[in-house]
Amino acid sequence: MTYIAKPKFHHPGLKKNELGYTHRDYEGKISTLCAGCGHDSITASIIEACYELSIEPHRVAKISGIGCSSKTPDYFLGNSHGFNSVHGRMPSVLTGANLANRDLIYLGVSGDGDSASIGFGQFAHSIRRAVNMTYIVENNGVYGLTKGQFSATADRGSKSKKGVTNTDNAIDLVAIALQLGATFVARSFSGDKTQLVPLIAAAIRHKGASFIDVISPCIAFNNHAGSTKSFDYVREHNDAVNRLDVLVGRDPISVDYAPGTVQVVEQHDGSRLALRKLDADYDPHDRLGAMTFLQKHAAKGQIVTGLLYVDPDAEDLHTHLDTVETPLNTLDEQALCPGSAVLDKINASLR
């Protein structure tokens, strides 16, 4: 259907956000993925989150690698900056762009094959360096573009569409992100927009390395009995640790939920994340506790979703490197080449 152009006109009565934009202003091209693909649901959630946050599309840089997941940035925020890199190399391209221009909002979109196999090293280093980004992995457990081979995130014992059983241990990207020091870690399901939209919105507002692993069933090769990444399996084994909402730049909203309690997580930039606990003993500020909780439920075959960990006082790579507030790509010759006297002073300070 790639030959069909998306209509440019829209109904004049469409709801607008604070900037006067409608949902259509955050859309991209028509998707070429299989009808019913979970990735398209993630695209819809990204569009919704950016619309709700009233983000100016031209302030966003969306960067991807190779794979079905890496095609999706073409389907949202058509008026933003975009770069489709090579297989597994999205994190390094995003890191370089972020260092050059800190004023943009960076969305890294990848897949389980892109990030957990050939790009595993780049994934790890971008997380440990605290790059200020929202890193979304669209996780379906297979290589969809090459006919459904198991990816590195496929659970041991799960079966392929042809009935082959996976004998390899799986890489849990959420557990790795927690271990490497990500300051915002979450997991969600492409079929749960109510949970996914506020997670994406909160991740965008967070300063530091935000990582979201989204289980996104591949309807062509991994949505059958025996798959642990299918729609039915995830719905039956999903254990949501919290219910989420994001309050940005407005007066706090007072709510009264009889079944549970509401906890407000203060973000570094002043935005608030309202969290209603479902598990009385779960603390999203405890990194070690999150890792233990994750492993305990994985042993039961349960998929933990929701906000697993957040550090409200997180720092990013620019803070660690003590870079100037002015984006590096806007510095003029005088700032970059201040003269020999300044160089002599620097050299003298290092002796």
Side-chain angles (χ1 to χ4, degrees):
M1 303 293 284
T2 55
Y3 57 87
I4 298 179
K6 180 171 288 189
K8 295 183 179 180
F9 63 90
H10 55 78
H11 193 281
L14 289 179
K15 185 179 178 181
K16 298 181 179 180
N17 61 16
E18 293 181 351
L19 297 176
Y21 293 154
T22 68
H23 279 84
R24 291 295 306 276
D25 296 310
Y26 294 92
E27 294 177 357
K29 296 179 181 178
I30 293 178
S31 174
T32 60
L33 299 176
C34 302
C37 178
H39 294 1
D40 284 333
S41 297
I42 299 173
T43 292
S45 294
I46 293 174
I47 291 172
E48 178 70 20
C50 292
Y51 167 81
E52 291 183 358
L53 291 176
S54 294
I55 290 174
E56 296 172 302
H58 68 270
R59 292 193 57 241
V60 176
K62 50 185 184 177
I63 301 173
S64 63
I66 295 294
C68 292
S69 58
S70 296
K71 294 173 62 179
T72 59
D74 205 26
Y75 312 142
F76 63 83
L77 297 177
N79 293 320
S80 67
H81 305 279
F83 192 97
N84 184 229
S85 67
V86 295
H87 206 186
R89 302 304 187 262
M90 179 275 288
S92 58
V93 175
L94 188 151
T95 300
N98 181 279
L99 284 172
N101 189 352
R102 65 189 298 167
D103 283 350
L104 295 180
I105 298 170
Y106 289 91
L107 294 179
V109 181
S110 184
D112 43 303
D114 198 48
S115 284
S117 291
I118 191 171
F120 192 44
Q122 297 225 348
F123 160 77
H125 290 298
S126 67
I127 294 295
R128 77 179 186 88
R129 287 171 177 151
V131 180
N132 189 14
M133 62 182 175
T134 298
Y135 195 131
I136 299 174
V137 168
E138 300 178 342
N139 187 353
N140 55 23
V142 298
Y143 288 94
L145 282 182
T146 53
K147 310 306 179 187
Q149 302 94 326
F150 290 119
S151 79
T153 65
D155 294 309
R156 185 174 184 178
S158 61
K159 292 184 178 181
S160 69
K161 188 174 182 180
K162 294 183 178 180
V164 178
T165 300
N166 181 35
T167 58
D168 296 333
N169 290 320
I171 291 177
D172 187 341
L173 291 173
V174 165
I176 298 297
L178 284 167
Q179 183 179 6
L180 292 172
T183 50
F184 183 105
V185 182
R187 171 173 281 145
S188 191
F189 174 46
S190 63
D192 189 355
K193 190 176 181 180
T194 301
Q195 181 191 66
L196 183 55
V197 171
L199 281 176
I200 294 175
I204 291 174
R205 298 289 297 178
H206 181 77
K207 180 181 179 181
S210 299
F211 176 73
I212 306 177
D213 178 43
V214 188
I215 306 299
S216 179
C218 174
I219 63 167
F221 300 108
N222 214 12
N223 193 36
H224 51 272
S227 167
T228 58
K229 296 288 192 294
S230 66
F231 282 105
D232 290 341
Y233 186 91
V234 176
R235 288 194 177 104
E236 291 172 3
H237 296 80
N238 183 8
D239 183 10
V241 298
N242 36 52
R243 292 182 182 176
L244 307 164
D245 197 5
V246 176
L247 315 176
V248 181
R250 300 182 179 88
D251 294 333
I253 300 175
S254 298
V255 292
D256 183 13
Y257 287 114
T261 60
V262 175
Q263 180 182 9
V264 178
V265 180
E266 187 75 23
Q267 296 289 315
H268 187 274
D269 60 1
S271 63
R272 293 185 175 91
L273 178 69
L275 180 153
R276 184 162 79 91
K277 288 189 175 182
L278 296 186
D279 293 83
D281 59 345
Y282 190 78
D283 180 8
H285 303 99
D286 182 359
R287 186 184 297 274
L288 181 59
M291 297 172 70
T292 303
F293 187 87
L294 193 67
Q295 295 300 320
K296 181 177 70 174
H297 282 71
K300 300 177 183 178
Q302 296 177 337
I303 301 170
V304 179
T305 63
L307 177 61
L308 303 177
Y309 176 76
V310 61
D311 180 359
D313 299 316
E315 296 180 340
D316 71 338
L317 182 59
H318 283 280
T319 302
H320 296 164
L321 297 180
D322 195 23
T323 61
V324 295
E325 291 292 333
T326 304
L328 302 184
N329 66 335
T330 63
L331 295 176
D332 56 20
E333 183 178 358
Q334 178 62 33
L336 295 173
C337 303
S340 58
V342 175
L343 180 60
D344 290 341
K345 183 178 179 180
I346 295 175
N347 288 335
S349 70
L350 299 175
R351 292 192 176 95

